[in-house]
Amino acid sequence: MAEQRPHSYTHHGITIEDPWKWLRDADYPTVDDEDVLAYLNAENDYFEANMSPHKELTDAIFEEIKGRQQPDLASVPWKDGDWYYQWKFGEESQYRIWLRWPSVGLEGPEGDEAARQGPTAEVTTLLDEPALAEGLEYFRLGSLSVSNGGGLLAYATDTDGSERYKLVIKDLATGELLPEEIPNIIGRIVWSADDSSLLYTVVDDNWRPWQVRRHVLGQPVEEDTIVYEESDPGFFVGIGESASREYIMIGAGDHVTSEVRLIPAADLAADPVVVSARRANHEYSIDHQGDRFIIRTNDTHKNFRLATAPGDDPAEAAWQPLVDASDSHYITGFDTFKDFIAVEVRIDGLDNVRLMWRDGAVKSIEFPESAYSASVGRNREFDTDTLRLYYDSMVTPSTVFDYHLSTEELEVRQVQEVPSGYAADEYVTDRLLAPARDGVEVPVSIVRHRDTPVDGSAPLYIYGYGAYGYAIPPSFSTSRLSLLDRGFIYAIAHVRGGDDLGYHWYEAGKLDRRTNTFNDFVDVARHLVNERYGSEGRIAIAGGSAGGQLMGAVVNQSPELWGAVAAHVPFVDVLNTMLDDTLPLTPIEWPEWGNPIEDPVVFDYIRSYSPYDQLTARDYPPILVTAGLNDPRVTYWEPAKYVAKLRALKTDDNLVLLKTNMGAGHGGRSGRYDRLYEVAEEYAFMLVVMGLVE
């Protein structure tokens, strides 16, 4: 039980008591307070003490999940200029090896096809992640960027989960690293056209990406030029490269407003040119198609439209209509190629990919199922007649297609292998609409084993997120099979706050309508009980980050429904975080949640649903909470404070566990098998506390 130390503060005439504030180390992001570390370690010891008796179950689930992973998994090769590229895993490796081989100088069509299919005799290793990760508790590769001439590789690594990456440059001819090292970067690395310099983004002390800098090879890093600096603490900065590779884009924005600047890739010393000056709630993105620009913008409609602009004038005044906005068609993105554009459109919650040629011809790509997830994949060739696509569904393993424009053929390049065996016809998927309390119908994606009855006897697992306009796709999961094969029915609640049904769906779950998200989830659960997919008290639920906030809110609203809860890196101390403008994500989050510092109405509203603030003396279901000590997105003290307060108030004997990864961040452990073991721990926890262990 965490000690309570008196602390209070007053805003808008309301005094808040927060006796667990001390769990935030005053020296953060350094965490060395002995009392804080002692508490986190004690909670970890308690986690181990309660889970170690079930290690055999956890290990069994892990081995099931691991057995469904292809040990030597490799990507489908992709072509980029004179080379094919591929990543692959070694059989027991946690990390990838990156390879390349020539795409030119081959003997005839047979040689070309052999290179397209996989490594040739001339294959070389670009980067060996297992070697870089050797001896490290945590390792994650960030940006990886080969120079235009193919001779240099710039890449960035994070070794503690703080998402402060270190950039280095490798000479691919010698295998040696150049002497320069650049710390505290994030996001992409983009080369100049002549490979003499590159652009990168740095984070400040509060982990806000705020500067774009230019590094000239061979020059001291300390002399790197600031190309752009963002002064608004509520805006983040990032960079990208146009499909034509003639321009580099510098983007600044928050969740609802954006501003883009362009720099010629051939002249990184040129002044960046603003495409459209920022104005509140105007979002847009831009790409270059050689002789014209393509723009996605919400200037006339929240579901976005596409526009064009002349190649010598990208300014908003020159934008001309290309695809009109629509109430029913939500344009989620586009990819630009020399002769066509691939447009991603969501219609009634279903992904569509449409191809648009310069002459106005349009083609929608047909997929084999009625409910699925599809997206444009990795396509690095600007002048191409083939489009890489990714596809899966609740019952169909991840599939990579190459769509051939000339023949309109979908070529299957790869289907996810399940070595231990998988038969799609043994599982059944459904999609239904659940009525929310305000009359809105909420989509629900469901999958179960065909032998699992729909009579209320099966345990039910519901996953949700519902924030930032991020839709949860009805996709395939090999891990999930360990639940389905144990008789669970699995559901995804496509609650408001995501953009599953369009931008309006996102707007209906943010700011002063945030509680719609929580109500939707509870109402979905009650509807599934009514439809006999589950029963009260035998429902396991899970969500992470903002989805962890969802877990905390629905536990407070309807604790009797849930048999087990997994809240991963949960954003649960919403009011305190939104009141602290020194934290990296607070100013940029105000368009999502509101600013309680300035607005007493927002203060009261956030306080009314903030899971930490709404904990009371009552019974709660069994809850597993996870955290990352180095997490810059949801700081470790949020889940720690939540569990401490929950322990002090709960009136039941149900198990509550907190596991803090002491050497990781927001995404948990970094190795592919280590991540899967954490999934196995969650499933084992749920099976145990719900009394489903044989």
Side-chain angles (χ1 to χ4, degrees):
M1 190 76 73
E3 178 186 356
Q4 298 187 45
R5 301 178 183 177
H7 175 80
S8 64
Y9 61 87
T10 301
H11 273 279
H12 308 297
I14 298 174
T15 298
I16 304 291
E17 301 291 336
D18 190 7
W20 293 278
K21 182 182 184 298
W22 66 270
L23 285 169
R24 173 182 176 172
D25 194 312
D27 294 329
Y28 180 82
T30 299
V31 184
D32 56 9
D33 184 289
E34 292 183 0
D35 290 347
V36 171
L37 293 174
Y39 170 71
L40 297 177
N41 285 320
E43 286 284 3
N44 281 347
D45 291 343
Y46 185 68
F47 173 88
E48 292 297 334
N50 280 276
M51 291 301 294
S52 59
H54 311 292
K55 188 176 187 303
E56 185 175 342
L57 172 63
T58 305
D59 289 348
I61 296 172
F62 169 68
E63 290 300 330
E64 291 171 10
I65 298 173
K66 184 180 179 183
R68 301 187 192 108
Q69 315 308 309
Q70 185 178 339
D72 58 350
L73 179 65
S75 68
V76 178
W78 66 93
K79 187 173 182 290
D80 188 355
D82 294 339
W83 303 91
Y84 278 102
Y85 293 85
Q86 182 185 53
W87 56 256
K88 66 178 297 184
F89 285 100
E91 289 217 358
E92 289 299 320
S93 177
Q94 300 252 41
Y95 301 98
R96 298 166 174 165
I97 295 173
W98 296 76
L99 308 171
R100 77 171 180 181
W101 56 94
S103 66
V104 296
L106 305 171
E107 295 183 3
E110 292 184 0
D112 289 345
E113 180 60 21
R116 190 175 83 95
Q117 293 297 334
T120 66
E122 297 177 81
V123 64
T124 58
T125 297
L126 281 180
L127 196 67
D128 186 337
E129 287 189 49
L132 295 175
E134 182 71 30
L136 298 175
E137 181 179 355
Y138 182 94
F139 174 84
R140 189 175 297 277
L141 178 67
S143 182
L144 181 147
S145 180
V146 178
S147 61
N148 294 293
L152 298 169
L153 172 68
Y155 66 92
T157 57
D158 172 16
T159 57
D160 63 7
S162 66
E163 299 184 57
R164 293 176 178 271
Y165 292 83
K166 180 179 72 174
L167 187 161
V168 296
I169 303 169
K170 181 179 180 180
D171 185 325
L172 294 176
T174 66
E176 299 297 320
L177 294 180
L178 302 189
E180 47 259 65
E181 291 186 356
I182 305 175
N184 292 321
I185 86 148
I186 197 167
R188 292 189 60 183
I189 304 164
V190 183
W191 289 92
S192 63
D194 64 0
D195 297 338
S196 65
S197 59
L198 51 78
L199 296 186
Y200 61 92
T201 305
V202 295
V203 295
D204 63 14
D205 291 341
N206 283 331
W207 191 74
R208 181 173 72 93
W210 74 304
Q211 284 184 347
V212 175
R213 297 181 185 176
R214 180 176 73 252
H215 175 69
V216 178
L217 268 61
Q219 298 298 311
V221 172
E222 296 77 14
E223 297 179 6
D224 286 1
T225 303
I226 297 174
V227 176
Y228 176 72
E229 179 175 307
E230 177 54 56
S231 59
D232 187 334
F235 272 48
F236 279 23
V237 175
I239 58 175
E241 181 182 36
S242 71
S244 67
R245 305 199 186 182
E246 293 183 29
Y247 288 92
I248 295 173
M249 290 88 76
I250 299 175
D254 57 20
H255 293 300
V256 296
T257 302
S258 52
E259 182 178 70
V260 180
R261 289 168 168 79
L262 299 176
I263 300 180
D267 184 11
L268 297 193
D271 291 333
V273 175
V274 176
V275 175
S276 174
R278 69 187 67 177
R279 61 180 183 271
N281 299 310
H282 180 212
E283 294 182 73
Y284 71 95
S285 58
I286 188 169
D287 202 354
H288 184 244
Q289 203 182 17
D291 60 340
R292 64 177 182 172
F293 290 96
I294 309 297
I295 303 100
R296 172 180 175 263
T297 173
N298 68 348
D299 58 352
T300 64
H301 195 290
K302 65 183 64 177
N303 277 347
F304 291 85
R305 68 183 179 104
L306 293 184
T308 64
D312 60 354
D313 185 10
E316 186 173 2
W319 295 358
Q320 296 296 317
L322 180 63
V323 178
D324 291 336
S326 164
D327 289 339
S328 60
H329 291 51
Y330 175 38
I331 299 175
T332 58
F334 70 97
D335 286 74
T336 305
F337 302 90
K338 180 175 178 289
D339 296 319
F340 69 98
I341 305 166
V343 186
E344 293 178 304
V345 185
R346 190 170 299 138
I347 305 172
D348 295 328
L350 192 64
D351 295 330
N352 287 259
V353 178
R354 294 184 172 181
L355 307 182
M356 298 184 59
W357 281 265
R358 288 177 176 269
D359 62 4
V362 178
K363 168 68 179 178
S364 291
I365 298 177
E366 300 293 332
F367 294 105
E369 294 175 278
S370 59
Y372 57 86
S373 172
S375 62
V376 176
R378 189 195 300 263
N379 294 276
R380 292 290 292 163
E381 291 285 273
F382 182 54
D383 186 1
T384 183
D385 60 359
T386 302
L387 182 69
R388 178 68 48 85
L389 299 165
Y390 299 147
Y391 175 93
D392 65 354
S393 75
M394 296 285 274
V395 296
T396 301
S398 299
T399 303
V400 179
F401 288 117
D402 276 352
Y403 181 79
H404 296 276
L405 278 67
S406 58
T407 62
E408 299 184 357
E409 172 198 4
L410 270 179
E411 177 192 4
V412 177
R413 294 298 308 276
Q414 184 182 74
V415 177
Q416 179 181 1
E417 292 185 19
V418 183
S420 60
Y422 172 74
D425 60 2
E426 292 185 0
Y427 302 88
V428 178
T429 184
D430 301 296
R431 188 173 176 91
L432 54 82
L433 296 174
R437 64 196 67 180
D438 61 359
V440 172
E441 292 187 318
V442 180
V444 187
S445 298
I446 300 172
V447 64
R448 60 183 172 87
H449 194 280
R450 67 184 180 190
D451 295 334
T452 299
V454 183
D455 61 4
S457 64
L460 173 64
Y461 181 111
I462 310 176
Y463 179 83
Y465 186 72
Y468 303 113
Y470 178 72
I472 302 299
S475 55
F476 186 74
S477 165
T478 54
S479 299
R480 187 170 61 212
L481 297 175
S482 288
L483 293 178
L484 302 184
D485 291 348
R486 285 176 169 81
F488 271 82
I489 296 175
Y490 185 102
I492 300 171
H494 302 282
V495 295
R496 282 173 280 187
D499 65 354
D500 307 64
L501 296 184
Y503 198 84
H504 76 282
W505 201 248
Y506 164 46
E507 291 181 313
K510 62 181 293 193
L511 294 172
D512 60 354
R513 292 188 282 174
R514 179 59 184 158
T515 52
N516 283 338
T517 305
F518 316 138
N519 296 341
D520 284 356
F521 193 90
V522 170
D523 294 344
V524 163
R526 295 195 185 282
H527 180 71
L528 293 177
V529 169
N530 291 338
E531 295 297 313
R532 311 284 283 167
Y533 284 97
S535 57
E536 183 175 302
R538 284 172 54 81
I539 304 173
I541 59 174
S545 196
Q549 177 195 106
L550 171 63
M551 296 300 100
V554 302
V555 162
N556 286 340
Q557 183 179 139
S558 301
E560 73 284 352
L561 280 175
W562 322 120
V565 181
H568 297 293
V569 290
F571 178 32
V572 282
D573 194 10
V574 188
L575 183 60
N576 282 319
T577 296
M578 289 298 99
L579 286 169
D580 187 351
D581 59 6
T582 68
L583 292 174
L585 290 181
T586 293
I588 199 173
E589 295 287 336
W590 286 331
E592 187 77 14
W593 316 104
N595 185 345
I597 298 174
E598 297 180 353
D599 191 333
V601 175
V602 171
F603 180 95
D604 289 340
Y605 186 65
I606 292 178
R607 185 184 175 209
S608 75
Y609 70 74
S610 174
Y612 176 71
D613 293 277
Q614 291 304 313
L615 288 171
T616 60
R618 66 190 301 180
D619 287 357
Y620 286 91
I623 302 176
L624 167 65
V625 180
T626 64
L629 187 67
N630 300 323
D631 187 347
R633 299 173 185 264
V634 177
T635 47
Y636 76 88
W637 62 81
E638 290 206 34
K641 288 173 60 180
Y642 174 79
V643 169
K645 186 174 182 179
L646 179 62
R647 290 200 190 286
L649 292 175
K650 65 196 289 289
T651 55
D652 57 80
D653 295 325
N654 289 327
L655 188 61
V656 172
L657 297 179
L658 170 64
K659 178 188 176 183
T660 302
N661 279 309
M662 304 300 282
H666 197 63
R669 298 171 72 181
S670 58
R672 65 164 170 164
Y673 293 131
D674 289 344
R675 288 196 298 270
L676 294 178
Y677 196 84
E678 293 189 322
V679 175
E681 287 178 330
E682 177 199 316
Y683 290 178
F685 170 82
M686 290 177 166
L687 291 169
V688 168
V689 299
M690 293 177 70
L692 299 174
V693 180
E694 296 179 359

